[in-house]
Amino acid sequence: MSDEDDLRAEVRDLRAEVDALHTRIAALESELNTDPPPSIEAETAGTVVGSDTATPESESGDGSEPGTETRETAAGNAPADERNWERNIGMKWLGGVGSLALVVGVVFFIRLAIEAGYLGPLGRVLTGTAGGLILLAGGRYAAEAQGYSRWGRLVAGTGLAIAYFSVYAAYGFESYRAAIGAPLWAVLLVLTVLVAATAALSVRDHTPAVAGEAFLLGYVTAYVGLDAGSFVVSPAYVVLLTAGLVTIAAVRPWSRLVLGSVLPAYVLHVAWTNRLEPPDTVAAVVLAATFAVYAAGVYVLRASDRTDRWHRRLVEATTASNAVFAAILLESVVRRLLPTAPDGVAVGAVGFALGGIYAVTESRLRQQNSAAGVLAVVLLAISVILAADPFAETVGLLVLLCGALALGTSRDAGAVRIGGHLVAVGTVAKLLAVDATRLPAFSLATVTGRPAAYLLGIAVFYVLGRWFGGASTTVPGIDRELPVAAPYAWTATGLAVVLLGLELSGASLSVAWAVLGLAFVGVGLALDDRGRRLQGVVVLGLVTTKVFLYDTRGLDTLARTLSFLVLGGILLVASYAYARWQGEKPLQRLSG
């Protein structure tokens, strides 16, 4: 028998064994009454082509434990072309429309019962609450006991909303309030118990969506509490809800839940202060407490076992949003509370607090809270701008810039260095937009004018460019190093050019720019610094453009002649200096 015949015989034997295995599996399936398992090709297609992007366990839609296969996840192994549309229609659309239809049906049923005289206001509230709780329990049972996690969450969320707003109707509608006589404190208590119980069950069931709905309704309850006319109920609710979120974060690191609650919490604070006008001291204490609780929540989330990139970004966003809202609202409250205090005190206080959070996170968790480090420096810079006059602002920003870069370099705090770089950008923008117009021009009567501000900025930027040397920095989200020294040096040169343009005009400006360009070329040749030489060449190119395009038409004959003579002489001197510097091997010298 040939090798080909042997191979064919082995293939026939393998096929016979596979057919026997399929027969045995089919028999077992018929006994268990289950669907046949998908083929390897179908699983591959469902995973690569049709499946959703994998998400971490704690941030997944159903929150189920990894490795636990529900009936819905088993259905996800179907081929992509069958699963996508069929699953969307069968689970999402049918379930969502069914829930809506059920709610509408309950409303019509209650309406019929009202018209027939079977249900009064109290009966409507009790019926809606009972029906909502039944749906909530049924959804949990379907998700936990039967494995229909998505469908169960949808039904549970619908039940929670029905029960919540049924209880709310006991006080929210005037006719119900008059017929039932339900006091606000009783309604708030029932709503609080409902929200707290639902949140606890969602933590137990690993269902972040239901927990999010519960806390959203909790903030609605806090808003309802504004009708109590007390400045204690709503802020206490906000602080308690935020503390509850932090407690949940210690058990389930649901960073989306914490981030999503920041805006409702601070919006509710604004509504509280506008409607009830509480004492400024109380408002400041509540804001500080809210900021502190969210800061603790960020620390708890960072200390969790989750390390995926999406989780880290959500935590950074929580830090940023918490700091921005707290700084804005605290600043307005402190201005009313301490009218004689300089502006920017609250913003600076939040900045210092973020600096402390950054230091604690780095020392205890060995993690760099980038948002806290960057915003600490930025908020301190904003406080300087709010507190000082234009010249003092520039001085303060330059001092803060140097301090942030020195601290970030000595402590290897990348976020603090990035904050310093952002302050540098803001300082340049201020010099160009504010100092150029609001500070006085050169005068012997004042030393705090525009030239002094620009010269300080130029000196600091040149020193920083020299200090950084060949250093580079890594911007978060960019996987490459960016040079640091060159931008500072070129910015300083640009500021020098702008300063001369602000203080001089006509032929004197052309002469000054030409001298500046020659000085840069000379320094660059003497120090063998290519960056300085290029800066000089750029300045000489600028003055050449000005002389040929503007001076020939905009100046009188004497000034025009002076511009061309000085420019021509300086260009010749620069060219001669280049020739002497290059020596006998110019190409080798330039390439080196």
Side-chain angles (χ1 to χ4, degrees), residues 395-444:
V395 176
L397 289 176
L398 292 174
V399 171
L400 179 62
L401 166 62
C402 296
L405 294 180
L407 178 63
T409 302
S410 62
R411 303 286 297 179
D412 193 20
V416 176
R417 288 198 302 270
I418 293 174
H421 297 324
L422 292 178
V423 172
V425 174
T427 304
V428 174
K430 179 185 177 298
L431 286 169
L432 297 176
V434 178
D435 294 1
T437 56
R438 293 181 57 185
L439 290 179
F442 175 76
S443 174
L444 296 177

Side-chain angles (χ1 to χ4, degrees), residues 178-335:
I180 300 174
L184 177 61
W185 68 266
V187 174
L188 291 177
L189 178 61
V190 175
L191 293 178
T192 303
V193 172
L194 179 61
V195 169
T198 305
L201 290 175
S202 67
V203 173
R204 178 182 177 276
D205 298 343
H206 301 265
T207 53
V210 178
E213 182 185 4
F215 275 95
L216 177 61
L217 296 177
Y219 286 110
V220 175
T221 304
Y223 186 82
V224 173
L226 294 175
D227 293 338
S230 171
F231 60 81
V232 176
V233 176
S234 292
Y237 239 100
V238 172
V239 175
L240 289 176
L241 285 171
T242 308
L245 285 169
V246 174
T247 304
I248 290 177
V251 181
R252 303 275 184 249
W254 293 336
S255 47
R256 283 187 297 183
L257 193 62
V258 179
L259 174 61
S261 67
V262 175
L263 179 60
Y266 284 105
V267 167
L268 184 60
H269 180 89
V270 173
W272 168 61
T273 54
N274 290 338
R275 180 178 297 188
L276 300 181
E277 297 182 355
D280 293 328
T281 304
V282 177
V285 170
V286 172
L287 277 173
T290 305
F291 172 78
V293 173
Y294 272 115
V298 169
Y299 183 86
V300 169
L301 289 172
R302 282 194 167 274
S304 66
D305 296 333
R306 290 197 59 196
T307 58
D308 57 279
R309 179 178 297 181
W310 179 243
H311 173 73
R312 292 197 304 270
R313 289 178 176 175
L314 291 175
V315 173
E316 298 286 351
T318 303
T319 301
S321 57
N322 180 39
V324 170
F325 284 124
I328 294 174
L329 297 179
L330 270 174
E331 182 65 24
S332 62
V333 172
V334 171
R335 286 185 180 184

Side-chain angles (χ1 to χ4, degrees), residues 50 102 158 185 222 440 460:
L102 183 60
T158 303
W185 68 266
V460 169

